[in-house]
Each structure stands twice: as structure tokens, then as C-alpha cells.
Amino acid sequence: MPELPEVETTRRGIAPHITGRQVTRVIVRNPNLRWKVPARLNREMSGQVINGVTRRGKYLLLTTSVGTAIVHLGMSGSLRVIDASAPPDKHDHIDIVFDDKRALRFTDPRRFGSLHWTRRPPLQHRLLSKLGVEPLSAAFNGDYLHRISRGRKVAVKQLIMNSHIVTGIGNIYACEALYMAGIYPKRAAGRISEKKYELLVEVSKEVLNDAIAAGGTTLRDFVNGNGEPGYFKLHLNVYGKTGEPCISCREPIREIRQGQRSTFYCPVCQK
DNA sequence: AGAGGTACCTGGCAGC
DNA sequence: TGCTGCCAGGTACCTC
């Protein structure tokens, strides 16, 4: 379920509980995630202290003085801090156990998530080195999108979902941001004005920040929860609303396919 | 270089 | 109830 706001909410939820804690061991029950979890993980991480939990795009970085664990939640992954003695469920693939008898538990039914370990500066890792700008940073602005899209025929929705251009805008927030900016998702990226891109960036940041703020209310669910962490359901205007009236003009919301993904939009409000 | 398709995997749901 | 087919919030990698 994780889009960037959920990843950031996860980061904020787990960071206070694992920062400064020493890893006593790492239990890998199923290493077959999107990429094989390295067999050396337990040997390399045990004894290390977590110095911090940071985020780059949708990747979470657990840093120690000797290396960094790079975690991606994929489509169905989640991280929770639990009592280390809690019996694992079917999809609880990894436990990073700490010296306070608690553990960071990685759960992922679809196993599209991943965990890498690197001893080098993590931003040099092949997964991170080519990522585009952070969507909540000043580097993500109308001028940037305008410049990078010149001459491109790709649909604007696919442009803003391209992680090498801007990292962390997933299908839901791409749909919502384009609706809020009044841009037709199939518009060729190269044919959109700088002014429109400025608006698109503004509403993208707004929708992401609103979602992160909403996620703040669920932070406690990331610690000692019995079930799934409480991902939040933000108010959505178009995503999943096929056939329902647009809140602005009452025209039924339409659903199309773009690059094997569902796109939702209002045919009147988005041009 | 850019664009498009494929692959990874399980669970939930609609329809029969 | 049980089967089949389809869909799902991600993204690297391959080919053209």
C-alpha cells in the first residue's frame, strides 16, 4: 500500500524506537523478496547501532557506522516495531532484533519489497544513485519539470511517475495531483507550459504533505500493533472514483489505462 | 535517449 | 462453495 506518505509515516513511526538501539541479530525467514536478501545480513548487522532512519524517495535507509540497510516496501510491504517474542505470521519475512527485546519486523505478502545491505555511502548504491529529485524539496519546481520535459512526447502522468525525474510520486498521487492542477493525464509532457508545471508542483506538494499530516495520526500503529500498521485513507477526489460525479462539475470520473496502470480523471476539468 | 513492455508475487474480489 | 480470471498503491530492466 505504500506511497511516499506512507513510507514517510513509517519512517517517523519507527525511528524513535530503533535509533540508538543495538542490533543483536537479524532473522531472515524468507530471503526471496524482489531481490534476494543478502546471506551476510545477520553477520554484518549484528552488534551495530542504528544511527538514524532516513528516506530517499520510497527507500528507507537504516544507517549504522559500518553500513546501511536499504529497505523498499514495494506494493504490500510494511515495517513495525514489535516484541521480539511475538510469533511470526506467514508473510513476516525479516526481523531485525534489538537489545531491548524488540524487533523491526518486515512483512510483505507480495514480496515486491526489498532489503539491500551496503558498506558504501548509500546514495552511491545503484538503486539510489540515479533517482530524480525529492518531490518535497525545492529542487522539484516548475522550471525543473518544464526544462526536463522539452521535446518529450511521453504522457505527463508517466513523466511525473518516472523515478529518475522525480522520485516517490505513485499512481494515486499522480492522479490526484493532475486533477488538482486541471491537467489531462495523457497530455504530452513536452506541450505543457512552465506556468502549468508550477501549479502541478504546488498541488503535488500539497497533496503529499496533507497525506503525511494525516499519517501522523497513525504513528502509534507502527509500534506494538497486533495487526497491520494503520495506513491511512486520505480523502481522494478521482482515484478509484470511476463513474462518480466530479466534486467540481458533476461530470462522471473516467478510468483509462496508461502503461498498464489505471488512471482516473475528470474529462471536463482536466485539459 | 526515449518509449513501451515484461517481470517479480500473493490476496481479494467479481462473476459464473 | 469453489473455480477462474482479473486487478492491485512499484520499479528495474530489457528491447526496439
Side-chain angles (χ1 to χ4, degrees):
Chain A
M1 340 244 158
E3 287 235 18
L4 184 139
E6 284 85 352
V7 177
E8 177 61 20
T9 298
T10 298
R11 189 190 71 75
R12 294 181 188 183
I14 65 175
H17 302 278
I18 69 171
T19 304
R21 294 257 70 95
Q22 186 179 41
V23 176
T24 54
R25 63 183 177 135
V26 181
I27 303 166
V28 180
R29 297 186 194 84
N30 186 350
N32 299 309
L33 304 184
R34 170 142 197 218
W35 288 282
K36 196 143 195 117
V37 177
R40 66 185 194 282
L41 189 63
N42 178 49
R43 179 167 22 98
E44 303 249 347
M45 272 196 103
S46 291
Q48 299 304 319
V49 171
I50 304 295
N51 293 329
V53 184
T54 55
R55 180 182 61 73
R56 177 75 173 98
K58 293 180 188 166
Y59 292 93
L60 285 171
L61 280 53
L62 315 183
T63 59
T64 74
S65 60
V66 301
T68 304
I70 302 171
V71 182
H72 198 289
L73 301 177
M75 297 265 259
S76 58
S78 62
L79 287 170
R80 281 174 304 141
V81 177
I82 50 133
D83 290 328
S85 61
D89 245 338
K90 184 177 171 188
H91 302 297
D92 294 342
H93 306 310
I94 302 170
D95 282 0
I96 299 175
V97 184
F98 298 104
D99 54 355
D100 62 352
K101 310 288 185 218
R102 296 210 283 184
L104 183 67
R105 180 162 284 180
F106 178 89
T107 305
D108 187 4
R110 281 179 77 183
R111 286 190 274 128
F112 277 21
S114 61
L115 193 157
H116 287 80
W117 173 258
T118 179
R119 287 180 159 272
R120 307 203 316 167
L123 298 184
Q124 290 179 16
H125 191 274
R126 66 179 172 86
L127 291 177
L128 306 184
S129 64
K130 295 189 184 109
L131 289 180
V133 300
E134 282 291 322
L136 294 173
S137 72
F140 184 50
N141 56 53
D143 174 60
Y144 171 75
L145 276 189
H146 184 253
R147 267 188 296 108
I148 210 161
S149 63
R150 288 313 89 182
R152 291 221 198 192
K153 293 183 182 143
V154 71
V156 58
K157 185 193 177 214
Q158 282 160 306
L159 183 90
I160 63 170
M161 287 183 69
N162 182 341
S163 65
H164 298 299
I165 293 172
V166 50
T167 178
I169 298 184
N171 202 30
I172 293 177
Y173 294 100
C175 291
E176 293 297 317
L178 288 166
Y179 171 76
M180 289 168 74
I183 300 171
Y184 176 54
K186 285 176 106 165
R187 260 297 270 292
R191 293 186 49 253
I192 293 175
S193 69
E194 181 167 355
K195 194 101 185 140
K196 268 286 184 191
Y197 274 128
E198 278 168 15
L199 177 61
L200 180 59
V201 165
E202 184 186 326
V203 298
S204 297
K205 292 185 183 192
E206 187 182 326
V207 72
L208 289 172
N209 277 321
D210 285 354
I212 290 169
T217 62
T218 70
L219 286 183
R220 64 194 157 79
D221 297 327
F222 289 87
V223 180
N224 283 335
N226 295 317
E228 291 298 301
Y231 286 132
F232 41 97
K233 201 72 182 173
L234 195 73
H235 171 74
L236 301 172
N237 290 310
V238 287
Y239 187 84
K241 306 281 188 189
T242 313
E244 292 181 37
C246 167
I247 55 158
S248 171
C249 72
R250 315 307 291 168
E251 184 75 12
I253 299 302
R254 282 193 201 163
E255 178 175 355
I256 54 173
R257 303 289 291 179
Q258 285 183 280
Q260 358 276 91
R261 309 299 296 279
S262 294
T263 296
F264 304 86
Y265 73 102
C266 171
V268 172
C269 297
Q270 294 175 257
K271 296 295 179 193

